[in-house]
Amino acid sequence: MSNIETLSRHDLPEVDPIDVITQEYGRPDVYLDLSTDVTSPWIPWTEGTWLKHIMFDVRNNTWHQVLKVEPGAKLGKHRHRGPVVGVVLEGGWKYTEYDWNAKKGDIIRENPGVIHTLLADPGGMTTFFTVSACLEFFDDQNNLTDTMDVFWYINHYVSYCKKNGLPINQDLFL
């Protein structure tokens, strides 16, 4: 008798229902080579700042980006309506309202609702951020001047690509 004939139903490997569901409804992993600007170009944002858009998640109103700020430049007074996580890749920065300085390798967790102003170190900075909800900017009199969400950032990326004849990288959209 062969091994197949002697196996009972309980001896056969069960099919994991999670594997079946994952194969049918899951999304494949995404690899992004960010060593060139082909995957995602550096796009001017505010004065002295540049964004490299990494991913847009419209279902969760979340986006991932790398922010580069020129030496001594700042990102104006702003408030996040959702959590933010940042990892400093190069250089350093601080919020003018706080007494700490973020440096290469540091991780920053920002909670919703706080208003702050980012100031780059004299050597500039590059930081990876994951941002949720929306970002609100204020003038010096604390008047709301702009609100940005994932759709604003998608428009920022798509408009720049179209204007500059660059391909729109579909892998950036979750």
Side-chain angles (χ1 to χ4, degrees), residues 48 67-73 88 90-93 102 119-127:
L67 171 64
K68 185 183 290 190
V69 182
E70 295 174 1
V88 183
E90 295 177 347
W93 56 274
L119 179 63
D121 284 353
M125 72 80 130
T126 304
T127 301

Side-chain angles (χ1 to χ4, degrees), residues 112-169:
V114 179
I115 296 177
H116 42 233
T117 309
L118 186 150
L119 179 63
D121 284 353
M125 72 80 130
T126 304
T127 301
F128 173 85
F129 284 106
T130 295
V131 185
S132 296
C134 66
L135 181 61
E136 299 172 326
F137 279 91
F138 298 88
D139 64 17
D140 292 336
Q141 291 73 44
N142 292 322
N143 296 307
L144 180 64
T145 59
D146 209 348
T147 301
M148 301 170 182
D149 64 4
V150 70
F151 297 104
W152 188 96
Y153 286 94
I154 289 171
N155 184 58
H156 184 248
Y157 168 71
V158 169
S159 296
Y160 182 85
C161 289
K162 286 181 178 180
K163 179 180 177 185
N164 292 281
L166 300 172
I168 294 170
N169 184 348

Side-chain angles (χ1 to χ4, degrees), residues 47-67:
E47 186 176 342
T49 69
W50 300 82
L51 289 176
K52 182 179 278 279
H53 298 290
I54 307 300
M55 288 188 192
F56 306 107
D57 180 352
V58 298
R59 289 177 182 92
N60 293 298
N61 194 14
T62 300
W63 59 98
H64 309 274
Q65 63 193 19
V66 179
L67 171 64

Side-chain angles (χ1 to χ4, degrees), residues 26-30:
R27 302 271 299 170
D29 291 344
V30 175

Side-chain angles (χ1 to χ4, degrees), residues 49 67 69-78 80 88 90-104 106 108 110 115-127 129:
T49 69
L67 171 64
V69 182
E70 295 174 1
K74 70 178 186 176
L75 182 61
K77 190 185 306 184
H78 63 279
H80 300 278
V88 183
E90 295 177 347
W93 56 274
K94 68 179 184 176
Y95 283 130
T96 59
E97 297 81 4
Y98 302 151
D99 61 359
W100 51 264
N101 290 315
K103 60 191 177 312
K104 183 177 179 176
D106 287 352
I108 298 89
E110 301 177 27
I115 296 177
H116 42 233
T117 309
L118 186 150
L119 179 63
D121 284 353
M125 72 80 130
T126 304
T127 301
F129 284 106

